PDB file of all heavy atoms in Angstrom:
ATOM      1  N   GLY M 366       4.821 -16.516   6.096  1.00  0.00           N
ATOM      2  CA  GLY M 366       4.856 -15.339   6.857  1.00  0.00           C
ATOM      3  C   GLY M 366       3.482 -14.487   6.833  1.00  0.00           C
ATOM      4  O   GLY M 366       3.409 -13.438   7.447  1.00  0.00           O
ATOM      5  N   GLY M 367       2.538 -14.910   6.077  1.00  0.00           N
ATOM      6  CA  GLY M 367       1.293 -14.115   6.079  1.00  0.00           C
ATOM      7  C   GLY M 367       0.609 -14.246   4.757  1.00  0.00           C
ATOM      8  O   GLY M 367       0.625 -15.308   4.095  1.00  0.00           O
ATOM      9  N   VAL M 368      -0.124 -13.169   4.363  1.00  0.00           N
ATOM     10  CA  VAL M 368      -0.926 -13.120   3.113  1.00  0.00           C
ATOM     11  C   VAL M 368      -0.388 -11.933   2.298  1.00  0.00           C
ATOM     12  O   VAL M 368      -0.354 -10.816   2.763  1.00  0.00           O
ATOM     13  CB  VAL M 368      -2.385 -12.903   3.389  1.00  0.00           C
ATOM     14  CG1 VAL M 368      -3.194 -12.758   2.193  1.00  0.00           C
ATOM     15  CG2 VAL M 368      -2.929 -14.089   4.244  1.00  0.00           C
ATOM     16  N   LEU M 369      -0.031 -12.212   1.031  1.00  0.00           N
ATOM     17  CA  LEU M 369       0.425 -11.207   0.107  1.00  0.00           C
ATOM     18  C   LEU M 369      -0.696 -10.668  -0.712  1.00  0.00           C
ATOM     19  O   LEU M 369      -1.370 -11.390  -1.428  1.00  0.00           O
ATOM     20  CB  LEU M 369       1.571 -11.734  -0.755  1.00  0.00           C
ATOM     21  CG  LEU M 369       2.092 -10.724  -1.827  1.00  0.00           C
ATOM     22  CD1 LEU M 369       2.793  -9.579  -1.111  1.00  0.00           C
ATOM     23  CD2 LEU M 369       2.943 -11.391  -2.907  1.00  0.00           C
ATOM     24  N   VAL M 370      -1.047  -9.424  -0.594  1.00  0.00           N
ATOM     25  CA  VAL M 370      -2.052  -8.785  -1.362  1.00  0.00           C
ATOM     26  C   VAL M 370      -1.365  -7.928  -2.478  1.00  0.00           C
ATOM     27  O   VAL M 370      -0.796  -7.029  -2.204  1.00  0.00           O
ATOM     28  CB  VAL M 370      -2.934  -7.814  -0.484  1.00  0.00           C
ATOM     29  CG1 VAL M 370      -4.063  -7.322  -1.314  1.00  0.00           C
ATOM     30  CG2 VAL M 370      -3.513  -8.651   0.741  1.00  0.00           C
ATOM     31  N   PRO M 371      -1.595  -8.311  -3.746  1.00  0.00           N
ATOM     32  CA  PRO M 371      -0.811  -7.611  -4.872  1.00  0.00           C
ATOM     33  C   PRO M 371      -1.442  -6.184  -4.965  1.00  0.00           C
ATOM     34  O   PRO M 371      -2.571  -5.868  -4.620  1.00  0.00           O
ATOM     35  CB  PRO M 371      -1.200  -8.454  -6.069  1.00  0.00           C
ATOM     36  CG  PRO M 371      -1.681  -9.733  -5.475  1.00  0.00           C
ATOM     37  CD  PRO M 371      -2.256  -9.513  -4.207  1.00  0.00           C
ATOM     38  N   TRP M 372      -0.564  -5.295  -5.420  1.00  0.00           N
ATOM     39  CA  TRP M 372      -1.015  -3.967  -5.754  1.00  0.00           C
ATOM     40  C   TRP M 372      -2.142  -3.980  -6.793  1.00  0.00           C
ATOM     41  O   TRP M 372      -1.916  -4.808  -7.826  1.00  0.00           O
ATOM     42  CB  TRP M 372       0.115  -3.116  -6.224  1.00  0.00           C
ATOM     43  CG  TRP M 372       1.065  -2.763  -5.179  1.00  0.00           C
ATOM     44  CD1 TRP M 372       2.420  -3.252  -5.087  1.00  0.00           C
ATOM     45  CD2 TRP M 372       1.015  -1.798  -4.080  1.00  0.00           C
ATOM     46  NE1 TRP M 372       3.048  -2.687  -4.014  1.00  0.00           N
ATOM     47  CE2 TRP M 372       2.246  -1.867  -3.473  1.00  0.00           C
ATOM     48  CE3 TRP M 372       0.042  -0.943  -3.639  1.00  0.00           C
ATOM     49  CZ2 TRP M 372       2.496  -1.035  -2.234  1.00  0.00           C
ATOM     50  CZ3 TRP M 372       0.305  -0.180  -2.528  1.00  0.00           C
ATOM     51  CH2 TRP M 372       1.490  -0.210  -1.874  1.00  0.00           C
ATOM     52  N   PRO M 373      -3.176  -3.252  -6.760  1.00  0.00           N
ATOM     53  CA  PRO M 373      -4.170  -3.194  -7.857  1.00  0.00           C
ATOM     54  C   PRO M 373      -3.466  -2.727  -9.171  1.00  0.00           C
ATOM     55  O   PRO M 373      -2.495  -1.866  -9.153  1.00  0.00           O
ATOM     56  CB  PRO M 373      -5.106  -2.178  -7.476  1.00  0.00           C
ATOM     57  CG  PRO M 373      -5.006  -2.051  -5.985  1.00  0.00           C
ATOM     58  CD  PRO M 373      -3.571  -2.340  -5.663  1.00  0.00           C
ATOM     59  N   GLY M 374      -3.900  -3.247 -10.254  1.00  0.00           N
ATOM     60  CA  GLY M 374      -3.236  -2.923 -11.583  1.00  0.00           C
ATOM     61  C   GLY M 374      -3.301  -1.396 -11.826  1.00  0.00           C
ATOM     62  O   GLY M 374      -2.388  -0.836 -12.444  1.00  0.00           O
ATOM     63  N   VAL M 375      -4.407  -0.698 -11.448  1.00  0.00           N
ATOM     64  CA  VAL M 375      -4.541   0.696 -11.664  1.00  0.00           C
ATOM     65  C   VAL M 375      -3.530   1.540 -10.935  1.00  0.00           C
ATOM     66  O   VAL M 375      -3.138   2.692 -11.293  1.00  0.00           O
ATOM     67  CB  VAL M 375      -5.981   1.196 -11.424  1.00  0.00           C
ATOM     68  CG1 VAL M 375      -6.978   0.615 -12.398  1.00  0.00           C
ATOM     69  CG2 VAL M 375      -6.401   0.971 -10.030  1.00  0.00           C
ATOM     70  N   LEU M 376      -3.014   0.951  -9.798  1.00  0.00           N
ATOM     71  CA  LEU M 376      -2.024   1.737  -9.039  1.00  0.00           C
ATOM     72  C   LEU M 376      -0.627   1.524  -9.540  1.00  0.00           C
ATOM     73  O   LEU M 376       0.268   2.282  -9.331  1.00  0.00           O
ATOM     74  CB  LEU M 376      -2.083   1.246  -7.515  1.00  0.00           C
ATOM     75  CG  LEU M 376      -3.080   1.873  -6.644  1.00  0.00           C
ATOM     76  CD1 LEU M 376      -2.923   1.329  -5.222  1.00  0.00           C
ATOM     77  CD2 LEU M 376      -2.963   3.402  -6.688  1.00  0.00           C
ATOM     78  N   ARG M 377      -0.288   0.339 -10.157  1.00  0.00           N
ATOM     79  CA  ARG M 377       1.075  -0.012 -10.446  1.00  0.00           C
ATOM     80  C   ARG M 377       1.836   1.048 -11.239  1.00  0.00           C
ATOM     81  O   ARG M 377       3.017   1.274 -11.087  1.00  0.00           O
ATOM     82  CB  ARG M 377       1.130  -1.409 -11.118  1.00  0.00           C
ATOM     83  CG  ARG M 377       0.831  -2.562 -10.154  1.00  0.00           C
ATOM     84  CD  ARG M 377       1.105  -3.940 -10.912  1.00  0.00           C
ATOM     85  NE  ARG M 377       0.883  -4.992  -9.902  1.00  0.00           N
ATOM     86  CZ  ARG M 377       1.840  -5.383  -9.041  1.00  0.00           C
ATOM     87  NH1 ARG M 377       3.054  -4.783  -9.084  1.00  0.00           N
ATOM     88  NH2 ARG M 377       1.603  -6.358  -8.168  1.00  0.00           N
ATOM     89  N   PRO M 378       1.232   1.676 -12.291  1.00  0.00           N
ATOM     90  CA  PRO M 378       1.932   2.704 -13.048  1.00  0.00           C
ATOM     91  C   PRO M 378       2.519   3.852 -12.207  1.00  0.00           C
ATOM     92  O   PRO M 378       3.464   4.574 -12.619  1.00  0.00           O
ATOM     93  CB  PRO M 378       0.974   3.113 -14.024  1.00  0.00           C
ATOM     94  CG  PRO M 378      -0.011   2.009 -14.210  1.00  0.00           C
ATOM     95  CD  PRO M 378      -0.147   1.432 -12.874  1.00  0.00           C
ATOM     96  N   TYR M 379       1.969   4.028 -11.047  1.00  0.00           N
ATOM     97  CA  TYR M 379       2.340   5.155 -10.142  1.00  0.00           C
ATOM     98  C   TYR M 379       3.410   4.773  -9.081  1.00  0.00           C
ATOM     99  O   TYR M 379       3.931   5.643  -8.436  1.00  0.00           O
ATOM    100  CB  TYR M 379       1.152   5.743  -9.377  1.00  0.00           C
ATOM    101  CG  TYR M 379       0.043   6.271 -10.279  1.00  0.00           C
ATOM    102  CD1 TYR M 379      -0.924   5.428 -10.754  1.00  0.00           C
ATOM    103  CD2 TYR M 379      -0.004   7.624 -10.581  1.00  0.00           C
ATOM    104  CE1 TYR M 379      -1.908   5.896 -11.674  1.00  0.00           C
ATOM    105  CE2 TYR M 379      -0.991   8.099 -11.436  1.00  0.00           C
ATOM    106  CZ  TYR M 379      -1.927   7.281 -11.932  1.00  0.00           C
ATOM    107  OH  TYR M 379      -2.952   7.713 -12.712  1.00  0.00           O
ATOM    108  N   LEU M 380       3.696   3.439  -8.992  1.00  0.00           N
ATOM    109  CA  LEU M 380       4.454   2.908  -7.864  1.00  0.00           C
ATOM    110  C   LEU M 380       5.965   2.883  -8.279  1.00  0.00           C
ATOM    111  O   LEU M 380       6.514   1.831  -8.301  1.00  0.00           O
ATOM    112  CB  LEU M 380       3.930   1.599  -7.411  1.00  0.00           C
ATOM    113  CG  LEU M 380       2.504   1.553  -6.918  1.00  0.00           C
ATOM    114  CD1 LEU M 380       2.027   0.172  -6.566  1.00  0.00           C
ATOM    115  CD2 LEU M 380       2.293   2.529  -5.842  1.00  0.00           C
ATOM    116  N   SER M 381       6.510   4.015  -8.574  1.00  0.00           N
ATOM    117  CA  SER M 381       7.906   4.128  -8.867  1.00  0.00           C
ATOM    118  C   SER M 381       8.486   5.411  -8.205  1.00  0.00           C
ATOM    119  O   SER M 381       8.119   6.506  -8.589  1.00  0.00           O
ATOM    120  CB  SER M 381       8.206   4.143 -10.405  1.00  0.00           C
ATOM    121  OG  SER M 381       9.513   4.163 -10.573  1.00  0.00           O
ATOM    122  N   GLY M 382       9.194   5.249  -7.087  1.00  0.00           N
ATOM    123  CA  GLY M 382       9.817   6.389  -6.385  1.00  0.00           C
ATOM    124  C   GLY M 382       9.933   6.000  -4.939  1.00  0.00           C
ATOM    125  O   GLY M 382       9.769   4.932  -4.559  1.00  0.00           O
ATOM    126  N   ARG M 383      10.141   7.102  -4.169  1.00  0.00           N
ATOM    127  CA  ARG M 383      10.295   6.891  -2.634  1.00  0.00           C
ATOM    128  C   ARG M 383       9.279   7.770  -2.042  1.00  0.00           C
ATOM    129  O   ARG M 383       8.999   8.874  -2.398  1.00  0.00           O
ATOM    130  CB  ARG M 383      11.716   7.362  -2.225  1.00  0.00           C
ATOM    131  CG  ARG M 383      12.880   6.553  -2.787  1.00  0.00           C
ATOM    132  CD  ARG M 383      14.129   6.671  -1.910  1.00  0.00           C
ATOM    133  NE  ARG M 383      13.989   6.188  -0.519  1.00  0.00           N
ATOM    134  CZ  ARG M 383      14.098   4.942  -0.155  1.00  0.00           C
ATOM    135  NH1 ARG M 383      14.363   4.025  -1.067  1.00  0.00           N
ATOM    136  NH2 ARG M 383      13.957   4.627   1.165  1.00  0.00           N
ATOM    137  N   GLY M 384       8.765   7.125  -0.997  1.00  0.00           N
ATOM    138  CA  GLY M 384       7.712   7.846  -0.208  1.00  0.00           C
ATOM    139  C   GLY M 384       7.237   7.069   1.036  1.00  0.00           C
ATOM    140  O   GLY M 384       7.735   5.950   1.236  1.00  0.00           O
ATOM    141  N   ARG M 385       6.438   7.751   1.891  1.00  0.00           N
ATOM    142  CA  ARG M 385       6.026   7.188   3.135  1.00  0.00           C
ATOM    143  C   ARG M 385       4.757   6.288   2.852  1.00  0.00           C
ATOM    144  O   ARG M 385       3.786   6.838   2.287  1.00  0.00           O
ATOM    145  CB  ARG M 385       5.806   8.137   4.149  1.00  0.00           C
ATOM    146  CG  ARG M 385       5.339   7.656   5.516  1.00  0.00           C
ATOM    147  CD  ARG M 385       5.132   8.820   6.451  1.00  0.00           C
ATOM    148  NE  ARG M 385       4.467   8.453   7.680  1.00  0.00           N
ATOM    149  CZ  ARG M 385       4.125   9.207   8.628  1.00  0.00           C
ATOM    150  NH1 ARG M 385       4.165  10.546   8.387  1.00  0.00           N
ATOM    151  NH2 ARG M 385       3.574   8.821   9.758  1.00  0.00           N
ATOM    152  N   VAL M 386       4.768   5.022   3.272  1.00  0.00           N
ATOM    153  CA  VAL M 386       3.609   4.220   3.079  1.00  0.00           C
ATOM    154  C   VAL M 386       3.133   3.810   4.541  1.00  0.00           C
ATOM    155  O   VAL M 386       3.923   3.441   5.394  1.00  0.00           O
ATOM    156  CB  VAL M 386       3.948   2.832   2.372  1.00  0.00           C
ATOM    157  CG1 VAL M 386       2.743   1.872   2.320  1.00  0.00           C
ATOM    158  CG2 VAL M 386       4.339   3.198   0.910  1.00  0.00           C
ATOM    159  N   ARG M 387       1.838   4.002   4.801  1.00  0.00           N
ATOM    160  CA  ARG M 387       1.284   3.740   6.049  1.00  0.00           C
ATOM    161  C   ARG M 387       0.078   2.740   5.913  1.00  0.00           C
ATOM    162  O   ARG M 387      -0.752   2.914   5.025  1.00  0.00           O
ATOM    163  CB  ARG M 387       0.813   5.038   6.690  1.00  0.00           C
ATOM    164  CG  ARG M 387       0.102   4.973   8.006  1.00  0.00           C
ATOM    165  CD  ARG M 387      -0.242   6.301   8.440  1.00  0.00           C
ATOM    166  NE  ARG M 387      -1.200   6.287   9.638  1.00  0.00           N
ATOM    167  CZ  ARG M 387      -0.763   6.278  10.910  1.00  0.00           C
ATOM    168  NH1 ARG M 387       0.497   6.424  11.243  1.00  0.00           N
ATOM    169  NH2 ARG M 387      -1.646   6.349  11.926  1.00  0.00           N
ATOM    170  N   VAL M 388       0.089   1.731   6.674  1.00  0.00           N
ATOM    171  CA  VAL M 388      -1.000   0.681   6.629  1.00  0.00           C
ATOM    172  C   VAL M 388      -1.647   0.624   8.027  1.00  0.00           C
ATOM    173  O   VAL M 388      -0.922   0.362   8.970  1.00  0.00           O
ATOM    174  CB  VAL M 388      -0.486  -0.693   6.177  1.00  0.00           C
ATOM    175  CG1 VAL M 388      -1.614  -1.694   6.150  1.00  0.00           C
ATOM    176  CG2 VAL M 388       0.200  -0.604   4.848  1.00  0.00           C
ATOM    177  N   THR M 389      -2.969   0.860   8.033  1.00  0.00           N
ATOM    178  CA  THR M 389      -3.650   0.813   9.347  1.00  0.00           C
ATOM    179  C   THR M 389      -4.947  -0.043   9.259  1.00  0.00           C
ATOM    180  O   THR M 389      -5.376  -0.390   8.163  1.00  0.00           O
ATOM    181  CB  THR M 389      -4.086   2.207   9.832  1.00  0.00           C
ATOM    182  OG1 THR M 389      -5.100   2.723   8.947  1.00  0.00           O
ATOM    183  CG2 THR M 389      -2.870   3.190   9.684  1.00  0.00           C
ATOM    184  N   ASP M 390      -5.550  -0.249  10.400  1.00  0.00           N
ATOM    185  CA  ASP M 390      -6.852  -0.906  10.345  1.00  0.00           C
ATOM    186  C   ASP M 390      -7.853   0.219   9.956  1.00  0.00           C
ATOM    187  O   ASP M 390      -7.514   1.343   9.731  1.00  0.00           O
ATOM    188  CB  ASP M 390      -7.256  -1.578  11.619  1.00  0.00           C
ATOM    189  CG  ASP M 390      -7.523  -0.551  12.785  1.00  0.00           C
ATOM    190  OD1 ASP M 390      -7.194   0.664  12.604  1.00  0.00           O
ATOM    191  OD2 ASP M 390      -7.944  -0.922  13.864  1.00  0.00           O
ATOM    192  N   ALA M 391      -9.171  -0.191   9.753  1.00  0.00           N
ATOM    193  CA  ALA M 391     -10.160   0.783   9.296  1.00  0.00           C
ATOM    194  C   ALA M 391     -10.362   1.983  10.195  1.00  0.00           C
ATOM    195  O   ALA M 391     -10.820   3.007   9.690  1.00  0.00           O
ATOM    196  CB  ALA M 391     -11.541   0.032   9.049  1.00  0.00           C
ATOM    197  N   THR M 392     -10.037   1.800  11.408  1.00  0.00           N
ATOM    198  CA  THR M 392     -10.335   2.903  12.399  1.00  0.00           C
ATOM    199  C   THR M 392      -9.118   3.807  12.420  1.00  0.00           C
ATOM    200  O   THR M 392      -9.165   5.000  12.896  1.00  0.00           O
ATOM    201  CB  THR M 392     -10.605   2.380  13.817  1.00  0.00           C
ATOM    202  OG1 THR M 392      -9.328   1.768  14.305  1.00  0.00           O
ATOM    203  CG2 THR M 392     -11.772   1.388  13.824  1.00  0.00           C
ATOM    204  N   GLY M 393      -7.940   3.362  11.958  1.00  0.00           N
ATOM    205  CA  GLY M 393      -6.799   4.179  12.082  1.00  0.00           C
ATOM    206  C   GLY M 393      -6.017   4.013  13.312  1.00  0.00           C
ATOM    207  O   GLY M 393      -4.879   4.511  13.543  1.00  0.00           O
ATOM    208  N   ALA M 394      -6.596   3.201  14.301  1.00  0.00           N
ATOM    209  CA  ALA M 394      -6.017   3.090  15.647  1.00  0.00           C
ATOM    210  C   ALA M 394      -4.815   2.124  15.602  1.00  0.00           C
ATOM    211  O   ALA M 394      -3.774   2.334  16.280  1.00  0.00           O
ATOM    212  CB  ALA M 394      -7.039   2.650  16.591  1.00  0.00           C
ATOM    213  N   GLU M 395      -4.954   1.052  14.843  1.00  0.00           N
ATOM    214  CA  GLU M 395      -3.846   0.050  14.817  1.00  0.00           C
ATOM    215  C   GLU M 395      -2.946   0.294  13.542  1.00  0.00           C
ATOM    216  O   GLU M 395      -3.394   0.244  12.447  1.00  0.00           O
ATOM    217  CB  GLU M 395      -4.436  -1.369  14.785  1.00  0.00           C
ATOM    218  CG  GLU M 395      -3.353  -2.452  14.691  1.00  0.00           C
ATOM    219  CD  GLU M 395      -3.995  -3.861  14.476  1.00  0.00           C
ATOM    220  OE1 GLU M 395      -5.193  -3.935  14.464  1.00  0.00           O
ATOM    221  OE2 GLU M 395      -3.166  -4.820  14.347  1.00  0.00           O
TER     222      GLU M 395
END
């Protein structure tokens, strides 16, 4: 189904909870 990019290790300790995640291209348009 695609390419899995793992979370960076420095982010993982913060990734517990609920929140809005947004993924865009570099311009923010897509």
Side-chain angles (χ1 to χ4, degrees):
V368 176
L369 178 67
V370 183
W372 294 105
V375 292
L376 277 182
R377 286 188 175 277
Y379 298 86
L380 302 179
S381 181
R383 294 198 65 82
R385 181 181 172 189
V386 176
R387 178 180 169 92
V388 182
T389 69
D390 69 351
T392 68
E395 181 185 356

